[in-house]
Every structure is written in C-alpha cells, then in structure tokens.
Amino acid sequence: MINLFNSRKLFVKVICLMLFVTQAQAQVKEQGIIPQPFKIQKNNTVFTFSRSSGIAVGNGIDSDNLTFFNQYFHQLAGYNLPINKTATAIKLNIDSANVEQPEGYKLSVTAKQISITGHDQAGVFYGLQSLVQLLHADARKMTVEGCVVEDHPRFSYRGMHLDVSRHFFKVDAIEKWIDLLALYKINTFHWHLTDDQGWRIEIKKYPLLQSISAYRDETIIGHKRDSPHVFDGKRYGGYYTQEEVKAVVKYAMERHITIIPEIEMPGHALAALSAYPQLGCTGGPYKAATFWGIFDDVYCAGNEETFTFLQNVLDEVLPLFPSKYIHIGGDECPKTKWKTCPKCQKRIKDEHLKDEHELQSYFISRMEKYLNSKGRQIIGWDEILEGGLAPGATVMSWTGEEGGIAAAKQHHDAIMTPEKYVYLDYYQSLYSSEPLAGGGYTPLSKIYNYEPITKELTTDEAKYIKGVQANAWSEYMASPAQAERQLFPRMLALAEIAWTDKGNKNYAGFLKRLRYQQTLLKQLNINSANTFDEITDSLSESAGHEVQLALNTTLPGSNIYYTTDGSAPTLKSKKYSKPFSITASGTVKAAVFSGAKQYGHMYEKDFHLHKAIGKSVTLTNQPKGGYNSGDAFGLVNGVFGNKLYNDGQWYGFNGEDLEAVVDLGKVQTVSQLGINILKYHWQKMWEPQVLTFETSADGKTYTEVYRQTTFNANGINPVHASIKPIQARYVRVKGTNKGIIPPGEYIAGAKAWLLVDELIVD
C-alpha cells in the first residue's frame, strides 16, 4: 500500500507547522519549491480549503491512504475533507499519456480546484510533496496560491548515503531523515551497514556478528590526524534486527524511496573478522577498529570459507531488501596481506591472474555472479575498476569523476558521488566555530554548483550517468543532531542537482527558496546548519603584485563592514564595496550586518607580507588531488594554510618532490627564508626527508643557503631560516618526498603526500 500523503510523523508536522512558517513570510518573500520544478507558472488566484472541499481519487490510487491526511487536516482545520469520486475541489489522477516522464507530475491550482496528475504512483506522490511546500496557513484557514507546475526528474537515481558503522543511529532517526528525503524527492537511501568499526545488521546464521562484531572496545576522541590518539574507554555499538530492517524498508517504500544495503567486501572487514578470524589471511586475532581509516586486514580472497560466509550473509540480506541493486563496497582494499598470504597467492596462480589487483577483480566478479544468480545487480565504489570492470556492475564514482567517466565510456552505468563535491562529512564553512568534521570543505554553494555530466562524455556516453548521490560518513557525527547539521541543508542542494534540469538551476533563486524552507526545517526539529549566508572570500593578484581581498555574502539587504587593524568591525567601520589591496601584515576582520544587527560569525584572516608576495613561482612537479588552489599564487599570497588543510592554501605532492623557484623580479638582499610543512602521518602526510633553500642572482647558478632534515611537530611545522644576507633574484626550495610509506606505519606501501604552503622571502 502506497501512502501518497507522507507519514503520520512528517505530514502532521508539515501541515500544522505551516502556521509557523507563514508567520515568517514578512522576512522570507520567496516561498517556492525545492527542488526547482521543470516549469512553474504562477497566477493571481488563491485556492482556499473549506468544509466542502472534497478529494476525488482516480483509478490506481488507493483512497485508504487518505485517511491519514484527513486526520492531520482535522487537527489543523477542525474538520475532515470528504473523499469521493465526484468531488471537484481536489483531484488526483494517474495518466501516463498526459504526463510522459516516469515520476513526473502536473500540479494545477486555481481558485476552484487543485489537481495533481502523475505519470505513476510516484508522480502523484511527488506532486503532493510540491503541494505541501506551497501551502499557506493563517489562523485556521489554509490556502494555496494559484499556479501550474509541470515537473519531472532529470536523473532516475537521486541518492543519499549514510554510514551507520562508525556511529550507529536508531530507527527513529533513520525514519525521520527518510521523511525529509521524500519531501525533497530523493528516491534512494544507501545504507552503509558494515565496516571496520562495527557490523550493524542481524545475520541469524552468524550470531557472533551480533554479540562481537556489532561492538568495539572504545572510540577515538578528536580527529584521526591527532597523534597520539586519545580514546574514550567506552564500549560502543548496536545493530538492527531483521524485523527493524524490514520495518525501515517498508517505511521507505511507502515514501517511494528504495533502500540499497551495503555489505563491504573485500576490505573494511575488521568488525566481521573480529568474530570470525578464520576469514582473514592471518587467522587473527582481530578487533573491530576503534579509530577511522584503512586497515591491512581484509577478507582472505584465497579462502573458500570467505565466499561461503559472504554468500550466506547475502542470503539473509536479500529477502530484507527488494532493491534491484546490492552495494558490495570494493573500496580501499589494501593488498598487503594478500601479497604474503599462501592461499591468496595460490588463488592468483590457479586462476591465472596477473596480480593482486586482478585478484580483487576476481573477488568482485565472483560475488557479482552470485548476486546475478539471485536476480540482483551490484553497485561498487570505483575501485571495482581495478583489474578490469566486472560485467554488469554499476560504478559509484567517489575518488573523483574519473571512475564514472571510465564506466560510462565502457557503457556501464555510473552514479556520480565525487568526494570533492558531495561529501557531507566535510566542513561546510571555514570559520573556527565549525564543529569537528572530516577535513575537506564542501560548502552549500560547492555542492549546488556540481554538474554530474562532465565535458569528457559524449551525448551517448552521458546516458550511462544514472544519477548523483551525497555521502555522509559518520566518523565525526556522534549524535543525530550532529548528523543533521552535516546533512541539512546540503541535501536540499543535492536534491536540486538530481531533480532539476540543468538550465533551470540558479543558486540565488535556490537560496531564496531555502530561506523559506529553513523555517520549516527548524519547526520539524531538524538541526539544520545556517552558515551559507556568512562571509566568504577570494584572493587575487593586482597588476602591482599586491594581494587583493574580495568579500561576499549572499544575505539579501545586508552590508559588510570591515577593519584592517585587528579590531572588531561595527557599523562605524569601513563599509565594503569592492576588493581592496592588502598593504601591510595584520588581521582583516569583517562582519555582515542586516540593518543594525550583526548576522552570523565574524570573519577573520591573517596576512603576512614579504618580498615574494605576488611574484612568479615555477613548479617542477604539479600538485595533485585536492591540494592545489589552481595556480602557484597561493604559495605567495601572504596567507598561511590552516591545520585542517581544507582552505585551498596547501599544495600537495603525491610521491613526488617539491621543487619551486620564486623570481623576485630583481636582485635584492635576502636574509630570511621560510615555508610551512604539514605533518600528519595518520593522513599519509609526511615531512620531507630533506628540505633545502638555494639562491641565485641569474637563475642559472644556485648556492645552497639552508638545509633541514627534522620536523618534529604533528601538524604545521613552520620553517624560519635566518641566513647571512645575500644578493639574489631567485630562490629555489627543494623538498625530498618520503616516497613510499614504510612498513609499520599507517597505509604502509602507499605513496606519501608532501604538503607545503607559503614560500616566504625577506
């Protein structure tokens, strides 16, 4: 039975709380729908509900579901809306000929009638979600402004991922968030149920998964990058019974949301191995991980019992989830243990595999065939491309867009979920008040402006991009309130990427609608973040090689006031009107004022001016990954990178050396040299083996003037080198990369990162 009018939990809140939302209309003038419809045309009419307003339900729509709606309506208006075939006030119909696109709908509101016609049941449901967002309530009168909406989704897959292994969320929280996903037309919930830190689903054949694997001894306090790690000493865990899983799946289906379970393999298996150590390459003992990261102990690919175990697990999982797809992970599987495991090496030989990467492909392909035999398809993270893409597999591209591009070019379905753009565990502002998060930076604007169809794909290849998903990893989400702050309102931006036609997207318009929705989210007791209107900045180089600072806020009708002497800005401070040059070292502070009241947190940025500011920098090796601001200006802009390495100031070299030359423009006296080095071994960020500075007057002959080989601090290591004054035009800095991370260290065998920022010359 499909509940077209949402749940008792959500819809009663939505209807009743429209009273509160309407009170905010004096401040919020743009009501609107999220995600933005394909086409919406407003008119000057208003539909007003009355006791005689009846609901006519067309063929194919279960009228029993309207009972709940009437209960909610009665709580607000004091009367029920009669349901009958001949009612003329509100009409619901399914007509696939009139609405051609799956999940599409037409919503029409005039003074006399509201009608919703859907292509299918989902279409009618989504039409009702749009109607909910358009309702006005005043006293006990409910109205809807006249409009015609024609709408359908851009992508068939519109998803949110939630990790419940690192932190466990109870059923009521999951259902609360499913309600919100449905309201904003998200149709897939990717449930990450197993990982190194905990196994979260009941498997009756393997009871130790519940008694051992579902729990860890303690949990890390603070960030993984900290050294040494600190723990809380408290046993932590939990799991969902199969009956609870069934209830959540049914709950989601009633809201047209498909739940895709993820059972991780072959990596991220420590929790399972802690209960069944014979499934690992060494036989253990193993324990569920108490901190976050990647671990060498994975399922043994040479052990037949591994496949028997996973097949038996899936045999209990499949009846719980009717989804076409089953996610089998496939990501971050170190090959360290496989390389020394006799069983794995025998498997490679017996199966005529080239190496451990092809062994991973064998593992994935074998599990795919098993799931195919059960009538299911697999989805895996983009590492399933290793050793050859398993036939029929769908790639979920997370490390970047390359995996999705590669899959589409091979005519395999792909879902775009790149870490850089749509990870919800990352910071959403750079203010110091921001709660602890994963490390990256994905503000609302960055998510909203992400485009899943890349220019590398032809029109035909683009058809294989089935949708987009935002991922929430819960390492730093210890409570539902913390999780909600990370999820919302960024999931609303993801919803608009996934549903709205590219040509209809507009960030300014989205923000107008979002400000209205924020009031609703608050009344629904959602701990939604509200940092998106706070000051953001950008740095550029002026013609005179000065650093120019631009400030911006998206808050309507507001002004920015700033100071350059480190004092707190007030309405008497300088009013910002255009980018300005930084002419001296010091701290710029700024604040947004709406009328006479300061909005949000105060902005601060420190500047350190020196002789190399704005000068030309030549890099022998180019930075990699997300540690690159796009050009070399960030190395000489006077701003030091933060300890979170997410502000675009850090330059990262993966397995390669640093070699940079600064041209000062003319020969001059140099007596001070410096650079900042980032050292976080738990993040694969290693100090250089050797750091040297060299100077030259002609750019050809260089003289070494400083050398350093030890960097002791965990975090930022500032290098301050006082040298004998020398005449020079060019300064060259070299940093020898650690290369391959040595045995016994975190992610041994991987390439080390060398992160540097700000080449200081004085």
Side-chain angles (χ1 to χ4, degrees):
M1 182 180 292
I2 304 298
N3 182 351
L4 295 175
F5 282 94
N6 253 346
S7 68
R8 176 188 295 270
K9 289 182 179 179
L10 177 64
F11 200 79
V12 67
K13 292 180 180 178
V14 171
I15 296 295
C16 295
L17 292 170
M18 286 299 167
L19 286 168
F20 296 96
V21 175
T22 303
Q23 294 171 4
Q25 292 306 295
Q27 290 77 37
V28 184
K29 298 180 180 179
E30 184 80 14
Q31 188 172 1
I33 299 169
I34 294 178
Q36 177 72 11
F38 179 75
K39 186 184 296 184
I40 181 168
Q41 182 65 49
K42 297 183 179 181
N43 56 51
N44 294 322
T45 63
V46 175
F47 178 89
T48 302
F49 288 89
S50 69
R51 291 181 180 275
S52 62
S53 298
I55 305 175
V57 180
N59 294 331
I61 300 174
D62 194 336
S63 62
D64 290 342
N65 292 285
L66 302 183
T67 302
F68 286 139
F69 173 75
N70 260 328
Q71 289 175 347
Y72 308 143
F73 196 92
H74 187 274
Q75 290 183 19
L76 178 65
Y79 57 88
N80 291 332
L81 298 178
I83 302 169
N84 58 71
K85 293 284 185 179
T86 60
T88 59
I90 305 172
K91 290 191 173 183
L92 307 178
N93 289 290
I94 294 176
D95 186 347
S96 58
N98 188 27
V99 181
E100 297 180 357
Q101 297 87 350
E103 301 182 283
Y105 66 91
K106 290 183 179 179
L107 165 64
S108 176
V109 180
T110 67
K112 296 183 177 180
Q113 186 179 81
I114 297 173
S115 67
I116 296 175
T117 302
H119 173 89
D120 43 30
Q121 294 270 15
V124 176
F125 179 82
Y126 291 133
L128 287 165
Q129 306 316 301
S130 292
L131 178 61
V132 165
Q133 294 186 42
L134 292 175
L135 291 172
H136 287 276
D138 183 10
R140 299 184 73 82
K141 181 177 71 173
M142 194 179 320
T143 62
V144 184
E145 291 184 4
C147 63
V148 175
V149 179
E150 298 181 25
D151 204 8
H152 61 269
R154 181 186 182 191
F155 291 108
S156 59
Y157 186 106
R158 308 180 298 279
M160 189 194 89
H161 157 285
L162 180 66
D163 158 36
V164 295
S165 176
R166 277 71 173 207
H167 282 102
F168 178 70
F169 302 105
K170 294 181 179 179
V171 167
D172 58 350
I174 300 294
E175 292 183 345
K176 178 184 179 184
W177 299 334
I178 285 174
D179 284 341
L180 266 292
L181 298 183
L183 181 63
Y184 297 108
K185 305 182 178 71
I186 297 295
N187 68 354
T188 307
F189 179 63
H190 173 178
W191 207 357
H192 187 90
L193 291 164
T194 73
D195 216 298
D196 294 299
Q197 294 78 14
W199 184 284
R200 302 293 178 225
I201 182 170
E202 178 189 23
I203 303 298
K204 295 180 179 179
K205 189 176 183 67
Y206 298 104
L208 296 184
L209 293 174
Q210 286 76 259
S211 60
I212 297 177
S213 300
Y215 297 89
R216 58 178 179 260
D217 291 342
E218 57 187 358
T219 302
I220 189 173
I221 300 172
H223 201 280
K224 184 188 76 174
R225 63 175 174 263
D226 297 337
S227 182
H229 289 160
V230 179
F231 298 89
D232 63 8
K234 301 176 182 177
R235 187 170 184 257
Y236 181 90
Y239 65 92
Y240 305 103
T241 67
Q242 291 191 7
E243 290 305 310
E244 286 176 320
V245 169
K246 289 178 185 177
V248 173
V249 170
K250 180 177 183 293
Y251 191 90
M253 289 179 63
E254 291 173 349
R255 290 146 188 81
H256 292 273
I257 291 176
T258 298
I259 296 184
I260 296 178
E262 181 176 357
I263 307 297
E264 270 276 7
M265 61 184 82
H268 289 294
L270 266 180
L273 297 181
S274 68
Y276 298 95
Q278 69 272 24
L279 303 179
C281 289
T282 68
Y286 308 103
K287 282 192 173 183
T290 56
F291 61 93
W292 332 122
I294 303 171
F295 302 91
D296 287 343
D297 288 302
V298 301
Y299 288 118
C300 179
N303 186 353
E304 278 301 304
E305 190 176 349
T306 295
F307 294 97
T308 300
F309 168 81
L310 290 172
Q311 288 170 6
N312 288 338
V313 166
L314 290 172
D315 284 347
E316 292 194 34
V317 168
L318 296 183
L320 305 176
F321 297 92
S323 59
K324 174 183 176 182
Y325 293 106
I326 303 294
H327 204 297
I328 49 79
D331 66 314
E332 297 179 329
C333 179
K335 311 302 187 290
T336 306
K337 300 296 184 182
W338 287 0
K339 289 179 179 179
T340 59
C341 173
K343 290 182 179 179
C344 289
Q345 292 304 307
K346 185 177 186 299
R347 178 82 73 188
I348 290 173
K349 181 179 179 181
D350 292 348
E351 298 293 335
H352 307 290
L353 305 175
K354 181 180 178 181
D355 54 22
E356 289 76 21
H357 292 287
E358 288 196 1
L359 181 59
Q360 165 135 340
S361 182
Y362 165 85
F363 196 115
I364 298 298
S365 295
R366 182 166 172 177
M367 295 310 302
E368 179 191 30
K369 290 176 183 176
Y370 185 77
L371 285 168
N372 290 164
S373 73
K374 303 291 184 177
R376 308 297 183 94
Q377 298 291 327
I378 71 164
I379 293 180
W381 304 110
D382 47 46
E383 286 95 332
I384 67 173
L385 290 162
E386 292 181 14
L389 185 62
T394 295
V395 171
M396 192 166 276
S397 190
W398 78 273
T399 59
E401 297 174 298
E402 293 78 13
I405 293 169
K409 286 185 175 294
Q410 297 175 43
H411 291 187
H412 287 269
D413 289 346
I415 296 156
M416 288 302 200
T417 178
E419 178 181 14
K420 184 178 179 180
Y421 295 101
V422 293
Y423 265 39
L424 303 178
D425 51 308
Y426 282 1
Y427 287 89
Q428 50 197 316
S429 93
L430 296 177
Y431 286 77
S432 59
S433 58
E434 191 74 2
L436 185 67
Y441 177 45
T442 51
L444 185 69
S445 59
K446 188 174 185 179
I447 292 183
Y448 186 85
N449 290 315
Y450 174 61
E451 170 49 45
I453 304 298
T454 68
K455 62 180 183 299
E456 290 87 351
L457 298 175
T458 66
T459 301
D460 181 62
E461 292 166 345
K463 296 176 182 177
Y464 292 93
I465 304 299
K466 296 302 180 183
V468 62
Q469 175 173 290
N471 294 343
W473 301 96
S474 66
E475 286 95 334
Y476 305 103
M477 303 179 192
S479 68
Q482 286 176 295
E484 287 174 5
R485 193 182 186 283
Q486 296 297 110
L487 297 176
F488 304 104
R490 290 187 290 186
M491 269 310 302
L492 278 66
L494 189 283
E496 196 143 309
I497 297 172
W499 180 279
T500 301
D501 185 76
K502 179 181 177 181
N504 284 344
K505 285 181 59 189
N506 177 277
Y507 186 58
F510 170 75
L511 288 181
K512 289 180 180 179
R513 288 174 281 121
L514 174 60
R515 293 185 187 99
Y516 176 88
Q517 298 285 339
Q518 282 285 83
T519 306
L520 176 59
L521 291 174
K522 182 178 180 180
Q523 298 301 331
L524 289 172
N525 198 30
I526 298 295
N527 185 36
S528 180
N530 62 349
T531 60
F532 49 85
D533 281 327
E534 292 185 329
I535 293 175
T536 57
D537 68 8
S538 61
L539 299 173
S540 61
E541 181 184 358
S542 70
H545 299 293
E546 292 181 333
V547 175
Q548 287 208 313
L549 175 63
L551 303 176
N552 181 63
T553 177
T554 52
L555 187 68
S558 64
N559 292 297
I560 297 174
Y561 292 86
Y562 71 95
T563 65
T564 57
D565 60 2
S567 62
T570 68
L571 289 171
K572 295 181 180 180
S573 302
K574 191 168 184 178
K575 183 178 178 181
Y576 176 82
S577 59
K578 64 181 180 179
F580 58 94
S581 293
I582 304 298
T583 58
S585 297
T587 301
V588 174
K589 294 186 177 182
V592 176
F593 286 86
S594 180
K597 185 177 180 181
Q598 181 178 328
Y599 173 87
H601 297 95
M602 183 172 64
Y603 163 95
E604 295 185 49
K605 178 150 288 186
D606 296 326
F607 289 89
H608 310 265
L609 299 194
H610 50 84
K611 289 183 177 181
I613 292 292
K615 299 300 190 291
S616 172
V617 178
T618 302
L619 294 170
T620 299
N621 296 315
Q622 294 303 306
K624 297 293 193 300
Y627 308 118
N628 176 10
S629 63
D631 55 37
F633 176 64
L635 290 170
V636 287
N637 63 7
V639 177
F640 294 176
N642 67 25
K643 67 179 182 179
L644 305 178
Y645 48 87
N646 63 2
D647 57 358
Q649 297 299 318
W650 292 98
Y651 285 66
F653 302 88
N654 190 212
E656 295 182 321
D657 296 337
L658 161 70
E659 184 173 336
V661 176
V662 181
D663 181 357
L664 299 176
K666 63 180 180 179
V667 175
Q668 54 191 289
T669 302
V670 173
S671 61
Q672 299 285 333
L673 298 169
I675 193 170
N676 293 321
I677 303 292
L678 197 60
K679 176 184 175 181
Y680 285 127
H681 289 185
W682 285 106
Q683 295 293 99
K684 300 187 290 183
M685 300 171 185
W686 281 71
E687 67 277 19
Q689 297 186 77
V690 180
L691 178 75
T692 61
F693 281 101
E694 302 169 343
T695 62
S696 171
D698 59 7
K700 299 177 181 179
T701 303
Y702 283 87
T703 301
E704 183 178 313
V705 295
Y706 182 79
R707 173 178 289 253
Q708 184 169 327
T709 57
T710 57
F711 305 83
N712 296 321
N714 183 66
I716 298 175
N717 283 254
V719 176
H720 299 295
S722 295
I723 65 172
K724 183 178 179 180
I726 190 172
Q727 295 296 301
R729 172 176 173 174
Y730 300 92
V731 176
R732 180 164 66 189
V733 59
K734 293 181 178 180
T736 306
N737 195 296
K738 183 69 175 179
I740 301 301
I741 297 175
E745 298 287 349
Y746 179 64
I747 312 294
K751 292 180 180 179
W753 283 95
L754 171 59
L755 265 70
V756 303
D757 175 49
E758 200 62 24
L759 307 182
I760 304 165
V761 181
D762 262 325

